[in-house]
Amino acid sequence: MTTASRTARAAQAEGGANTAASAQRVTKTYGAGETRVTALDAVDVDIALGRFTAIMGPSGSGKSTLMHCLAGLDTVTSGQIWIGATEVTGLKDKELTRLRRDKVGFVFQAFNLLPTLSALENITLPMDIAGRKPDQAWLDQVVSTVGLAERLGHRPAQLSGGQQQRVAVARALASRPEIIFADEPTGNLDSRAGAEILTFLRRSVDELGQTIVMVTHDPVAASHADRVLYLADGRIVDDMSDPTADSVLERMRRFDSKRTS
Ligand code: ADP
């Protein structure tokens, strides 16, 4: 084992109890030679358990790449990714598929619901595919937390955009994943429906103990998080606790003025 990975393991063991996921010296490059792009440049970050973390930064700063690497959806060029006590970067394809299925939940900008299934069938679909029985008490709690009890028999086309995204959030929560990654979850919603989804994400952290990582461009969305990480040129350049919409906006303005000056 290298010194770096020994150190990483020691850090994981120490911080492990409070860390849902971490990136350690993670670099991701695309292409080669003159067209080489460094999307992530030696990123170190710990994502706290049972907390809501937002990732912000200008377009092209590496937000999606960081999220995809943390979620085991993309490979890293160097460094390590951990989810809980599992080193994701050390897994073979089959183990990686199992980890994503059992430990990770996803919410995308496009709701990705199956149109022929009811809301309830969409929520339990990943577990049905995995051959797992949902825990009924937990499912009831999830459905009531996201306020869907009256709509479970409806098909996606019979639901508003906000309600469809609530189904997608419930689907992510239903299997009790260790961590949920949300990629611009309010990007397709009007501000009222967006606010509802953010409230549900917040409640799932506060009431269900869920860990959430959300990529967003929106300072109001980020203000629902406990912490905001700011990326620029593949590096974490700031880290804010207990954000408000005003403090996030102010921080973004300072970035913009630095970038254009
Ligand atoms: P963000 O999500 O902040 O907009 P990304 O993570 O998508 O940023 O991209 C970071 C950088 O990596 C950008 O310069 C982007 O052009 C580049 N990049 C992302 N995906 C690829 C890819 N598949 N091939 C080549 N370059 C990529």
Side-chain angles (χ1 to χ4, degrees):
M1 200 189 296
T2 63
T3 311
S5 71
R6 244 195 321 273
T7 313
R9 272 166 213 271
Q12 189 67 25
E14 276 165 31
N18 296 318
T19 304
S22 70
Q24 291 168 0
R25 305 296 292 170
V26 166
T27 293
K28 172 78 180 176
T29 57
Y30 291 105
E34 279 183 16
T35 58
R36 194 171 122 118
V37 174
T38 302
L40 296 176
D41 189 0
V43 169
D44 280 308
V45 66
D46 285 338
I47 302 295
L49 199 64
R51 295 303 211 87
F52 189 177
T53 304
I55 301 178
M56 298 194 82
S59 191
S61 59
K63 302 182 294 296
S64 304
T65 305
L66 178 59
M67 197 177 91
H68 291 157
C69 288
L70 280 171
L73 289 172
D74 202 352
T75 56
V76 305
T77 305
S78 62
Q80 294 180 320
I81 299 285
W82 295 75
I83 290 183
T86 306
E87 189 197 334
V88 177
T89 31
L91 297 180
K92 301 200 177 70
D93 277 357
K94 244 189 177 161
E95 299 164 324
L96 195 55
T97 304
R98 199 174 310 133
L99 172 111
R100 280 198 302 256
R101 191 187 70 198
D102 295 342
K103 300 199 170 174
V104 182
F106 297 97
V107 180
F108 300 99
Q109 185 170 341
F111 321 125
N112 292 348
L113 302 178
L114 287 185
T116 55
L117 300 184
S118 69
L120 181 62
E121 288 164 341
N122 266 288
I123 293 169
T124 58
L125 182 66
M127 280 180 292
D128 293 342
I129 291 172
R132 280 166 53 191
K133 251 186 116 44
D135 170 344
Q136 193 58 46
W138 174 254
L139 198 57
D140 290 346
Q141 202 178 343
V142 166
V143 164
S144 87
T145 304
V146 296
L148 283 167
E150 314 288 303
R151 298 277 193 291
L152 291 178
H154 290 51
R155 299 229 171 119
Q158 300 170 303
L159 300 172
S160 69
Q163 288 166 343
Q164 290 182 55
Q165 191 62 310
R166 284 198 239 167
V167 174
V169 171
R171 178 181 55 190
L173 288 164
S175 62
R176 303 190 102 147
E178 287 191 17
I179 187 163
I180 288 180
F181 293 97
D183 194 356
E184 297 272 3
T186 57
N188 273 339
L189 302 176
D190 61 43
S191 58
R192 189 166 148 262
E196 272 175 19
I197 288 299
L198 291 161
T199 304
F200 297 135
L201 292 175
R202 183 72 251 171
R203 281 180 67 186
S204 69
V205 172
D206 293 339
E207 295 173 21
L208 308 176
Q210 184 62 56
T211 304
I212 298 181
V213 177
M214 170 179 74
V215 166
T216 184
H217 282 103
D218 176 6
V220 175
S223 72
H224 287 74
D226 297 301
R227 175 189 187 195
V228 184
L229 299 169
Y230 295 89
L231 278 178
D233 301 324
R235 294 185 190 175
I236 293 177
V237 293
D238 207 354
D239 188 344
M240 181 189 280
S241 297
D242 303 319
T244 63
D246 284 343
S247 65
V248 173
L249 200 56
E250 169 59 23
R251 189 69 192 87
M252 287 166 76
R253 283 208 190 100
R254 269 191 286 145
F255 274 134
D256 288 344
S257 62
K258 224 191 247 170
R259 289 172 78 84
T260 50
S261 60

